[in-house]
Amino acid sequence: MAQYTQFQPKAYRPRMSAYWYLDQWHYLRYALRESSSFFVAYFCVLTLVQLAALGAGAGRYAHFEALMRCPLMIIINAVALAFFLLHSITWFNLVPRVAMRQMLGRPTPDMVSSAPNYMVWFGATVILALFFLGVL
Amino acid sequence: MSDTIILEVARFNPESDAEPSYESFEVPLRPDWMVLDGLNHIKDQLDGSLAFRWSCRMGICGSCGMMVNGVPTLTCETLLMNYAPGPVRVGPLDHFPVVRDLVVDLDDFLAKLQKVRPWVVRKDDFKPAREFIQSPAQLESFHQFSLCINCTLCYAACPVYGLDPNFIGPAAIALAHRYNLDSRDQGIEDRLDIVSRHEGIWDCTVVGECSTVCPKHVDPSLAIQQYKLTATKEWFKSFLLPRGKH
Ligand code: SF4
Ligand code: FES
């Protein structure tokens, strides 16, 4: 910063509002993307609880299933799923920012850079769905 | 449609005001007028005390950046008509100290820019007998990042810079990256020392607005994410070959 003399009045220093992310839609979208990490962590913990219930026997697992069927848990999980999807899609779409910028010496379209992530995601979802439906 | 438009312009007199306020002016709405033309009309016809920066009027000098309706914008290449019927709110660039009206203090940016050494650094006694040959592919690797005009719109769009003024910021990192990618340059390690600190690339949380507002399509966000990759690779190299030359 410049050194001010008594004849050179100080500049006005703006301060950011604590609610800056509400100013514009793209900042809000960013804040939602960042906060979606919380729901990813929630699903990880939920999966660990589910595995623990599974290991603890049929009675405990039935209790876990009953808990998951209650309306409040269904609402919480639906909201968490929405944030989970937002998290995955926004981060997959950011892949072209860092990786696979070029293929065979030519610039790669953004969708092509993101595609492997979506393919792995889709493949894993199908395998897990078949497993839980008892097909595998 | 009305043939005038209201410009709400930020006013701040450091000698008498505690903070900026907005003053409204009615200016002609002509199809070929930019926002800057509206400001010049105010200065020439309505209030000669209005302070703002501009020079080239063709998107080259980077001095006419302001917040127009809350978005960092080059006022010399943005049509006033885009905001009809108005009003249009014009303020100083966000996150910088305001010196007067629409003029901000860019010392912080200029100091950071100098720190990242945005010029070709050579370690040897480089006195080529002929010009340095650079292939089109080598040029292409950094060309996009060399288009920066130092307008600092990306700083005004970056909430990270607003929250942490120590952040080196988008344009300075993009320019450091530009010279790292230049086949004539040997300064990558010197720059890495500065740019790979926490207040450098790792402060960036990929908001991405810097790239959206950049009038020259420099894509500083891409430069920062690529720089993170370079820094990680260099870190692994120094970890695996602590004594090696990398
Ligand atoms: S990167 Fe773009 S927005 Fe930032 S200073 Fe350079 S030209 Fe301006
Ligand atoms: S006056 Fe030079 S960029 Fe606008």
Side-chain angles (χ1 to χ4, degrees):
Chain A
M1 282 297 302
Q3 298 299 308
Y4 290 97
T5 68
Q6 67 180 115
F7 303 111
Q8 221 176 350
K10 280 192 162 56
Y12 168 74
R13 285 163 194 285
R15 290 196 58 177
M16 257 176 100
S17 145
Y19 304 103
W20 60 268
Y21 47 85
L22 298 177
D23 282 353
Q24 310 252 357
W25 159 241
H26 37 255
Y27 292 137
L28 181 61
R29 195 179 52 196
Y30 158 78
L32 290 173
R33 185 193 81 198
E34 294 295 292
S35 48
S36 64
S37 307
F38 169 80
F39 293 97
V40 175
Y42 163 77
F43 267 128
C44 291
V45 172
L46 192 68
T47 309
L48 290 176
V49 172
Q50 184 176 15
L51 289 175
L54 198 60
R60 289 290 289 277
Y61 195 71
H63 181 69
F64 174 82
E65 280 188 321
L67 184 69
M68 288 300 111
R69 277 196 206 104
C70 83
L72 182 65
M73 283 311 290
I74 290 175
I75 292 170
I76 292 175
N77 284 342
V79 172
L81 178 66
F83 272 95
F84 196 95
L85 293 174
L86 177 79
H87 186 90
S88 309
I89 291 168
T90 48
W91 283 106
F92 285 172
N93 288 351
L94 280 175
V95 169
R97 322 276 331 146
V98 271
M100 291 186 64
R101 302 290 304 170
Q102 287 210 321
M103 224 189 267
L104 305 172
R106 291 174 163 274
T108 324
D110 285 0
M111 200 50 223
V112 174
S113 304
S114 308
N117 298 277
Y118 283 106
M119 276 159 23
V120 171
W121 189 23
F122 181 73
T125 307
V126 169
I127 291 170
L128 283 176
L130 292 177
F131 180 75
F132 283 117
L133 292 172
V135 180
L136 285 184
Chain B
M1 195 197 302
S2 160
D3 54 0
T4 61
I5 190 167
I6 301 292
L7 283 188
E8 295 173 355
V9 184
R11 303 303 306 263
F12 172 68
N13 181 345
E15 283 159 37
S16 55
D17 301 339
E19 58 180 23
S21 56
Y22 282 85
E23 187 176 350
S24 295
F25 298 94
E26 191 169 1
V27 302
L29 179 60
R30 308 222 172 110
D32 55 344
W33 267 26
M34 303 294 163
V35 176
L36 183 64
D37 294 313
L39 293 172
N40 274 325
H41 176 86
I42 296 172
K43 180 132 183 120
D44 294 344
Q45 309 289 334
L46 306 175
D47 184 347
S49 70
L50 181 66
F52 54 98
R53 285 199 186 104
W54 63 278
S55 179
C56 69
R57 291 179 64 174
M58 53 183 174
I60 296 295
C61 71
S63 60
C64 68
M66 295 169 211
M67 303 300 290
V68 180
N69 282 356
V71 179
T73 306
L74 270 193
T75 51
C76 73
E77 54 172 36
T78 307
L79 285 166
L80 205 46
M81 206 58 134
N82 291 350
Y83 303 96
V88 192
R89 190 161 260 234
V90 185
L93 283 179
D94 275 356
H95 312 324
F96 291 102
V98 183
V99 178
R100 190 183 183 102
D101 296 341
L102 301 164
V103 179
V104 291
D105 185 342
L106 295 174
D107 283 0
D108 179 58
F109 164 67
L110 294 172
K112 285 170 178 163
L113 189 61
Q114 198 170 0
K115 258 196 213 159
V116 303
R117 312 186 80 194
W119 53 81
V120 172
V121 172
R122 297 294 302 191
K123 299 285 164 148
D124 50 11
D125 191 14
F126 186 56
K127 291 199 186 81
R130 48 172 295 184
E131 69 273 20
F132 195 105
I133 304 286
Q134 201 162 50
S135 71
Q138 284 171 324
L139 173 66
E140 189 52 36
S141 69
F142 68 80
H143 180 251
Q144 170 192 4
F145 304 119
S146 68
L147 299 177
C148 174
I149 55 171
N150 297 346
C151 66
T152 64
L153 298 194
C154 49
Y155 283 73
C158 176
V160 177
Y161 181 64
L163 294 165
D164 177 9
N166 292 324
F167 179 39
I168 294 178
I173 297 177
L175 282 164
H177 191 53
R178 172 249 176 275
Y179 283 93
N180 287 348
L181 294 173
D182 192 318
S183 55
R184 298 163 296 180
D185 183 82
Q186 297 174 332
I188 184 166
E189 284 173 38
D190 302 354
R191 291 191 198 97
L192 214 52
D193 278 348
I194 295 155
V195 177
S196 67
R197 290 185 195 149
H198 176 71
E199 61 272 22
I201 45 180
W202 305 113
D203 229 357
C204 169
T205 53
V206 207
V207 180
E209 274 311 292
C210 53
S211 299
T212 310
V213 300
C214 177
K216 295 288 151 185
H217 310 292
V218 171
D219 204 347
S221 169
L222 171 66
I224 298 173
Q225 308 328 312
Q226 288 185 346
Y227 216 129
K228 285 179 184 169
L229 214 57
T230 310
T232 309
K233 277 195 239 161
E234 291 297 318
W235 183 82
F236 267 109
K237 270 199 243 167
S238 64
F239 184 71
L240 296 172
L241 304 164
R243 272 179 251 268
K245 178 111 186 73
H246 38 269

